[in-house]
């Protein structure tokens, strides 16, 4: 066994279903002649720290969990200063990014792709001093993803996000922002914004736009203006679900980098995890910043 594999998994992700699949997954790795080091995460930051300190001897790193586990794995890799191909076995409640890569929900089939697939050079994002894999977002619904109880996520899947969000519609907050990209400047009040490199968000496919490519060096940006009344808010939701860009209520464009500035701190989420509050955010596309195994 000349090849070395580091396997990081979140035992609590999704419905903790990896517990029943772990032996079979390890068997798939062993049959592919990998010497496997296994690390079950015990808490937030574990995967990130492990990747920062990992040896250069590993030929492949495989992570299993939700998009947050993948985020930590990729962030730690970037912070280490060197790349290792990454395999992903989705096990979370929504798995937006796994879907974007057409990875199967069946964990054993995903493990087969890890050892048999090819490396796809995929874009990732720099967010001030941090890193994200497929989405940086603020505003309506963004706090929901990391405030919703894990057990609720497990039972309801992406509906948990919507149900939590609906409770907040009566107190929608808007954020006056100045956004600059390329040679353009936008100044407006927004209730929601997302910078994405994914074909789905919150379990909804194609909500980020059409003809999305994960390796083209640009993000899809969606900014929703403050609605004047409940009817306008309803029109926004319908437009998003129907993939119909209504320029009267939202801005949609592509950008390789952008700066978002506000007079007060704005809370952000990165890949569904807390990204902190910031008055100024610089987001940059790291073109083909990671190699991830696909079919």
């Amino acid at each position: 066994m000349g090849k070395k594999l580091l396997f990081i998994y979140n035992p609590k992700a999704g419905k903790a279903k990896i517990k029943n699949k772990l032996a079979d997954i390890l068997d798939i790795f062993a049959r592919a002649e990998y010497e496997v080091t296994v690390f079950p995460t015990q808490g937030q930051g574990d995967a990130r720290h492990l990747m920062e300190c990992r040896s250069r001897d590993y030929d492949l790193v495989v992570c299993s969990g939700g998009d947050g586990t993948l985020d930590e794995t990729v962030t730690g890799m970037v912070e280490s200063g060197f790349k290792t191909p990454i395999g992903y076995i989705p096990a979370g409640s929504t798995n937006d990014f796994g879907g974007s890569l057409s990875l199967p929900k069946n964990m054993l089939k995903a493990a087969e792709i890890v050892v048999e697939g090819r490396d796809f050079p995929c874009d990732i994002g720099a967010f001030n001093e941090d890193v994200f894999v497929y989405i940086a977002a603020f505003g309506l619904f963004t706090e929901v993803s990391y405030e919703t109880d894990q057990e609720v996520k497990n039972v309801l899947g992406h509906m948990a996000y919507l149900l939590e969000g609906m409770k907040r519609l009566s107190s929608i907050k808007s954020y006056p922002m100045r956004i600059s990209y390329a040679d353009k400047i936008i100044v407006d009040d927004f209730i929601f914004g997302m910078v994405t490199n994914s074909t789905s968000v919150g379990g909804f496919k194609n909500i980020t736009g059409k003809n999305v490519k994960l390796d083209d060096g640009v993000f899809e940006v969606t900014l929703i203006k403050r609605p004047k009344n409940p009817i306008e808010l309803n029109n926004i939701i319908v437009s998003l679900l129907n993939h119909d860009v209504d320029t009267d209520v939202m801005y949609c464009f592509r950008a390789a980098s952008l700066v978002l500035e506000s007079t007060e701190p704005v809370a952000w989420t990165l890949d569904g995890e807390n990204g902190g509050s910031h008055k100024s955010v610089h987001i940059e596309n790291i073109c083909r910043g990671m190699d991830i195994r696909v079919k």
Side-chain angles (χ1 to χ4, degrees):
M1 288 190 179
K3 301 180 293 183
K4 293 182 180 292
L5 184 155
L6 174 62
F7 182 42
I8 304 168
Y9 74 95
N10 180 354
K12 298 178 181 177
K15 298 176 182 177
K17 57 187 176 182
I18 193 170
K19 291 180 180 178
N20 297 324
K21 306 288 185 182
L22 188 56
D24 291 330
I25 290 171
L26 294 177
D27 186 57
I28 289 169
F29 296 160
R31 281 191 278 113
E33 298 186 344
Y34 279 101
E35 179 184 324
V36 185
T37 302
V38 182
F39 186 91
T41 61
Q42 303 301 303
Q44 190 171 4
D46 281 359
R48 180 174 180 169
H49 177 70
L50 188 67
M51 286 297 289
E52 281 183 75
C53 304
R54 79 193 185 285
S55 166
R56 289 178 179 267
D57 292 341
Y58 289 112
D59 300 283
L60 179 64
V61 173
V62 183
C63 71
S64 181
D67 292 331
T69 305
L70 178 64
D71 173 276
E72 280 198 28
T73 302
V74 174
T75 299
M77 181 192 73
V78 172
E79 290 174 342
S80 75
F82 65 96
K83 286 203 290 187
T84 305
I86 292 175
Y88 183 35
I89 301 175
S93 48
T94 52
N95 299 314
D96 287 316
F97 195 66
S100 297
L101 294 169
S102 299
L103 297 179
K105 292 183 179 179
N106 182 297
M107 299 180 76
L108 300 185
K109 289 182 179 178
E112 294 282 1
I113 287 174
V114 164
V115 297
E116 296 176 358
R118 65 181 176 88
D119 290 337
F120 170 65
C122 184
D123 296 349
I124 54 178
F127 177 96
N128 288 352
E129 303 301 316
D130 212 332
V131 174
F132 65 97
V133 175
Y134 75 96
I135 182 171
F138 70 87
L140 188 66
F141 298 133
T142 56
E143 292 180 1
V144 170
S145 61
Y146 51 83
E147 288 184 0
T148 305
D149 185 85
Q150 183 64 52
E151 290 186 9
V152 177
K153 288 184 186 179
N154 292 348
V155 173
L156 298 175
H158 73 251
M159 283 303 295
Y161 300 93
L162 288 182
L163 292 173
E164 277 300 313
M166 292 301 288
K167 296 177 186 177
R168 301 162 190 253
L169 289 182
S170 60
S171 57
I172 294 176
K173 181 175 175 58
S174 64
Y175 304 87
M177 299 185 86
R178 181 183 189 272
I179 295 157
S180 52
Y181 68 101
D183 57 350
K184 299 180 176 62
I185 294 176
I186 298 171
V187 179
D188 217 322
D189 276 14
F190 301 101
I191 61 168
F192 175 78
M194 61 181 179
V195 180
T196 61
N197 190 45
S198 174
T199 59
S200 73
V201 170
F204 293 100
K205 292 184 177 180
N206 302 318
I207 202 170
T208 58
K210 298 175 181 177
N211 304 315
V212 174
K213 294 183 179 179
L214 305 184
D215 61 347
D216 58 0
V218 293
F219 291 119
E220 282 67 38
V221 183
T222 304
L223 302 165
I224 300 178
K225 297 195 288 185
R226 181 174 180 80
K228 298 181 179 68
N229 51 57
I231 294 174
E232 206 167 77
L233 176 61
N234 185 65
N235 290 342
I236 290 169
I237 294 170
V238 170
S239 295
L240 282 172
L241 295 178
N242 291 336
H243 325 306
D244 175 29
V245 179
D246 187 337
T247 52
D248 289 336
V249 294
M250 67 182 83
Y251 299 90
C252 295
F253 57 90
R254 287 185 167 101
S257 67
L258 64 160
V259 176
L260 304 95
E261 300 167 292
S262 56
T263 55
E264 61 178 291
V266 175
W268 284 79
T269 175
L270 304 179
D271 299 327
E273 303 298 321
N274 191 341
S277 295
H278 310 270
K279 287 185 179 180
S280 179
V281 166
H282 178 211
I283 297 176
E284 187 89 26
N285 186 290
I286 305 174
C287 186
R288 304 187 178 189
M290 71 167 173
D291 296 322
I292 191 159
R293 287 284 164 94
V294 296
K295 195 170 182 178

